[in-house]
Amino acid sequence: MEEEKKKYTASAQVEQARQEAQASDARKPGAYVSKWQQQLDAAMEKILNREKFSYNLNGDALYRQYKDQAIQNGRLAMQDTLGQAAAMTGGFGSSYGQTAAQQAYRQQMANLGDKASALYDKARSEYDRQGTADKQAYDLLLQRENSSQNQYKQNLAAWEAENQRLWNRYDQARSDDYGAYRDEIKDDQWLREFQQAQEQFYEKLRRQYGY
């Protein structure tokens, strides 16, 4: 009866290589999850939905303070100018005095206009500064997001390279191990065939010479 062929069984080295490769599979980084996307969305929404610049002069408390002061100073200047003109004319009013008083008042109002312009420029500068700050905040968040994505890609690439190395090592170990098994099978088969040929030879001698 022909001897049953020995079945292939992976060696301990091959089994260890397989387990290490499978363990590497389990260490695969999960899907990328952004730590900054929510803040990025909020920052972008703030930029896109920003109201256009507007300035309400009368709504500025500082302007109202300047205005009240200018009106008061204008009236005082008018009164002072009229008083000086009356003193020069012996207590009688004159068209010159009235004109000078009006000029003194208008001067105070002109000063108020300069302050109003300065307040407008200040408000506009603050609006522009805030817009720049919002964009810089977004850019900073974007830099952090890009850095986080790059780090994830590097980690994933490192895992892929190591995982591939471990599976290649397993494939090579199994191939070598199975090759050795096949060589062993061939040796056993040759030995059996030799033994069978030898037995047939002796059997032929016994039949031919009776021993």
Side-chain angles (χ1 to χ4, degrees):
M1 182 177 181
E2 188 174 322
E3 184 180 350
E4 184 179 355
K5 293 182 179 180
K6 183 175 69 171
K7 293 182 180 180
Y8 170 73
T9 302
S11 67
Q13 182 181 4
V14 172
E15 183 62 21
Q16 181 179 356
R18 181 187 66 80
Q19 290 177 0
E20 290 180 359
Q22 290 178 335
S24 173
D25 287 345
R27 292 193 296 271
K28 180 180 180 179
Y32 176 74
V33 178
S34 173
K35 297 186 295 184
W36 311 103
Q37 192 59 53
Q38 187 173 357
Q39 296 180 57
L40 271 169
D41 292 343
M44 178 55 72
E45 183 176 357
K46 185 177 181 181
I47 293 173
L48 294 178
N49 295 332
R50 190 176 188 223
E51 294 183 359
K52 293 183 179 180
F53 174 75
S54 63
Y55 178 66
N56 181 8
L57 192 62
N58 292 320
D60 191 326
L62 186 58
Y63 172 75
R64 292 198 301 271
Q65 179 181 341
Y66 286 153
K67 182 179 179 180
D68 292 341
Q69 185 177 358
I71 292 173
Q72 182 180 359
N73 291 341
R75 288 173 179 171
L76 292 175
M78 285 181 64
Q79 293 173 2
D80 184 58
T81 302
L82 288 173
Q84 292 179 10
M88 289 187 294
T89 59
F92 296 98
S94 67
S95 59
Y96 166 78
Q98 292 178 353
T99 300
Q102 291 174 356
Q103 288 179 344
Y105 183 83
R106 283 196 295 269
Q107 181 62 45
Q108 292 298 321
M109 292 300 102
N111 293 339
L112 176 62
D114 291 340
K115 290 183 178 180
S117 179
L119 288 174
Y120 175 90
D121 291 342
K122 180 181 178 182
R124 180 70 202 198
S125 296
E126 176 60 24
Y127 176 85
D128 292 340
R129 186 201 65 78
Q130 185 60 52
T132 300
D134 292 343
K135 291 178 181 178
Q136 289 175 342
Y138 177 83
D139 289 341
L140 179 59
L141 288 170
L142 187 60
Q143 289 176 8
R144 292 175 177 175
E145 171 65 10
N146 290 337
S147 176
S148 181
Q149 287 187 15
N150 290 336
Q151 184 61 56
Y152 171 81
K153 291 176 181 177
Q154 291 175 8
N155 293 341
L156 182 61
W159 172 84
E160 289 174 342
E162 177 63 8
N163 183 259
Q164 186 64 49
R165 184 189 71 82
L166 290 173
W167 278 111
N168 288 343
R169 187 183 69 171
Y170 164 72
D171 289 341
Q172 186 62 52
R174 190 177 187 281
S175 177
D176 293 344
D177 192 53
Y178 188 74
Y181 158 77
R182 294 297 300 170
D183 290 343
E184 183 180 352
I185 291 297
K186 291 178 181 178
D187 290 344
D188 289 345
Q189 183 178 1
W190 179 87
L191 181 59
R192 285 197 302 270
E193 290 175 352
F194 174 77
Q195 291 174 343
Q196 289 174 358
Q198 191 176 42
E199 289 175 0
Q200 290 173 1
F201 174 74
Y202 287 132
E203 179 64 24
K204 184 177 181 181
L205 288 178
R206 282 195 295 271
R207 288 178 181 178
Q208 185 174 356
Y209 299 103
Y211 63 87

